[in-house]
Amino acid sequence: MKLVIVSAGLSVPSSTRLLGDRLAAVAAPAATAPEPAPADVTVIELRDLAVEIAHTFTNGFPAPALADAFAEVAAADGLIVVTPVFSASYSGLFKSFFDALSVTDEDALTGKPVLIAATGGTGRHSLVLDHALRPLFAHLKAVVVPTGVYAASEDWGAEGLDARIGRAGTELAALMAGLSGPATVRRPPRRDTFEEVTPFEQRLAALSVPGPSPAP
């Protein structure tokens, strides 16, 4: 079982990388439970590949280090993708990596479980998960984990972040392990006979408001 973290953090140390590590700490052992050995975790730091990502668009093919990163992503049983928020969306480096990946292999993420996460300076940007990241990975045909995790500066050490990390990591592990079954569709009870249908005109007439009485 192989789990890959794609981190677009720029600083060292990076809260973006830290969030990815904490998510992996939940998902990796849960994905292989009850086996004692957790899933293998590989971390791809996009800041180390920035130049190669840019050259891919001008050269038409990835350099060796970037090609290796693409191969890791394609071979993963699950992905944790984490970006800092810039201008209320994912970073350009983050988007460029997945653009370059889709140009190289448009089916690399098809059917692959992906946990989306982001970090930012304020909680006001938490909707980045749903208005930017989720549509991106849906477009790439990935299976996006229901729970995304956004961590603002004030969330670190605060109540609530650990619970979101635990829920999201467990959901990713279930998808990686193939434990997620099809949703149960609730159907209305079967009717052996058709009810009499009231004509629309009759229904409309029943709703009509009577007008004023005529003057004597």
Side-chain angles (χ1 to χ4, degrees), residues 195-215:
E195 296 180 352
E196 183 178 351
V197 178
T198 302
F200 176 72
E201 293 81 1
Q202 185 176 336
R203 290 179 178 270
L204 189 61
L207 296 175
S208 299
V209 178
S213 301

Side-chain angles (χ1 to χ4, degrees), residues 61-192:
F61 59 89
L66 185 58
D68 290 343
F70 288 165
E72 293 282 358
V73 169
D77 296 292
L79 292 179
I80 295 172
V81 299
V82 197
T83 178
V85 174
F86 292 139
S87 300
S89 189
Y90 38 63
S91 73
L93 179 61
F94 181 87
K95 179 62 159 55
S96 294
F97 175 80
F98 288 103
D99 283 345
L101 172 63
S102 63
V103 168
T104 304
D105 181 1
E106 64 179 3
D107 295 320
L109 298 185
T110 299
K112 196 177 299 294
V114 175
L115 194 168
I116 55 174
T119 58
T122 172
R124 291 194 299 266
H125 293 312
S126 60
L127 289 177
V128 68
L129 296 174
D130 291 319
H131 77 67
L133 286 166
R134 198 174 296 278
L136 170 63
F137 288 96
H139 173 73
L140 295 174
K141 301 186 288 291
V143 178
V144 184
V145 170
T147 301
V149 180
Y150 178 82
S153 298
E154 63 266 23
D155 289 330
W156 296 102
E159 185 178 357
L161 180 59
D162 286 345
R164 297 198 303 275
I165 288 173
R167 183 168 61 249
T170 301
E171 289 172 354
L172 175 63
L175 288 173
M176 290 174 62
L179 300 180
S180 178
T184 301
V185 179
R186 297 181 62 87
R187 293 182 173 85
R190 180 176 174 179
R191 298 179 184 273
D192 294 327

